[in-house]
Amino acid sequence: MPWSDGSYKIKKVISIGTVSELTGLSERQIRYYEERKLIFPERSKTGIRKYSFQDVETLIEIANQLEEGVLTHEIRKELKRREQLIDPKVVRNSLLQGQLNAHFK
Amino acid sequence: MPWSDGSYKIKKVISIGTVSELTGLSERQIRYYEERKLIFPERSKTGIRKYSFQDVETLIEIANQLEEGVLTHEIRKELKRREQLIDPKVVRNSLLQGQLNAHFK
DNA sequence: CGTGTAAGGAATTCTGACACG
DNA sequence: CGTGTAAGGAATTCTGACACG
């Protein structure tokens, strides 16, 4: 089974009500953070939002940052920075970019 | 966070529609296997069934067994046997039982 | 035995908006 | 800016039952 590896953490299967219970955040807050591009749930064919455990963790971090007075725009940049450190796609592109730079130096 | 350990696999957060997609089983089938004591979802306060990724895996095994012509009652015994091998509670009880047996031999 | 389906109701989720500050 | 809420509609889930075999 394609999904049965160790990737339970990133599989988007949790609906917003459950995420609300897990994080202690209101559904309003969760939807707002999506509007501000901090979180990216998938959607069922009929438009129902689905989140992963990874998303739940991110949401808790977002809530913590906000409590500290950080603005959503700042949090967004912080999250973006982190993505680049782990996203294989970005890693590949970085390497490619390095080669290009060297080639055209 | 209590849930944020490696236990994403056993946390019951997936509703039946999503489980149906993940397993390819109908909701009718999934509810029936519960009726036959093969699977044990949790319930939200309002009665909505919630499953874990572990449950999803179990459901797929159940479906495979059924295709092979195994009866739900047989599958139930098989699953019970397995539980005993991994459930810490049962392990503890077995040890305790051993001590008692020795004591009253 | 295992599964499909129609039935009626209850709970969930969605969007866009008004409110406060 | 970040969050609450009432509003109306659409999608989801639940149970008990009839059906087939």
Side-chain angles (χ1 to χ4, degrees), chain B residues 88-103:
Chain B
K89 286 195 298 291
V90 176
V91 173
R92 272 201 307 282
N93 291 335
S94 294
L95 288 171
L96 181 61
Q97 197 56 46
Q99 291 177 230
L100 289 171
N101 287 341
H103 187 73

Side-chain angles (χ1 to χ4, degrees), chain B residues 7 10 18 25 29 34 47-48 52-53 56 58 66 77 81 87 89 92 94:
Chain B
S7 64
I10 65 171
T18 302
L25 298 171
Q29 288 174 303
E34 177 182 0
I48 305 295
S52 66
F53 280 109
V56 170
T58 301
L66 285 170
K77 286 190 289 190
R81 210 174 317 132
D87 188 339
K89 286 195 298 291
R92 272 201 307 282
S94 294

Side-chain angles (χ1 to χ4, degrees), chain A residues 18-26 30 55-57 59-60 63, chain B residues 3:
Chain A
T18 301
V19 172
S20 175
E21 291 183 349
L22 254 26
T23 60
L25 298 171
S26 69
I30 298 169
D55 289 333
V56 170
E57 291 194 8
L59 281 168
I60 290 177
Chain B
W3 47 264

Side-chain angles (χ1 to χ4, degrees), chain A residues 11-58:
Chain A
K11 190 83 179 158
K12 310 221 176 199
V13 296
I14 315 175
S15 48
I16 198 165
T18 301
V19 172
S20 175
E21 291 183 349
L22 254 26
T23 60
L25 298 171
S26 69
E27 298 184 8
R28 177 68 164 101
Q29 289 174 303
I30 298 169
R31 293 195 189 99
Y32 180 66
Y33 303 155
E34 176 182 1
E35 187 182 321
R36 300 313 306 274
K37 310 289 187 188
L38 303 181
I39 197 84
F40 306 93
E42 287 182 356
R43 298 278 187 138
S44 71
K45 323 83 221 279
T46 54
I48 305 295
R49 269 171 270 248
K50 297 296 179 184
Y51 302 83
S52 65
F53 281 109
Q54 174 64 73
D55 289 333
V56 170
E57 291 194 8
T58 301

Side-chain angles (χ1 to χ4, degrees), chain B residues 44-93:
Chain B
S44 70
K45 322 86 223 274
T46 54
I48 305 295
R49 271 170 270 246
K50 296 296 179 185
Y51 303 84
S52 66
F53 280 109
Q54 174 64 71
D55 290 332
V56 170
E57 289 194 10
T58 301
L59 282 168
I60 291 177
E61 291 187 57
I62 292 171
N64 290 155
Q65 297 282 295
L66 285 170
E67 278 176 32
E68 290 174 34
V70 183
L71 299 176
T72 54
H73 188 254
E74 302 299 323
I75 300 176
R76 180 162 183 273
K77 286 190 289 190
E78 166 67 24
L79 289 175
K80 262 196 166 175
R81 210 174 317 132
R82 250 188 263 177
E83 264 177 68
Q84 298 191 168
L85 297 176
I86 54 176
D87 188 339
K89 286 195 298 291
V90 176
V91 173
R92 272 201 307 282
N93 291 335

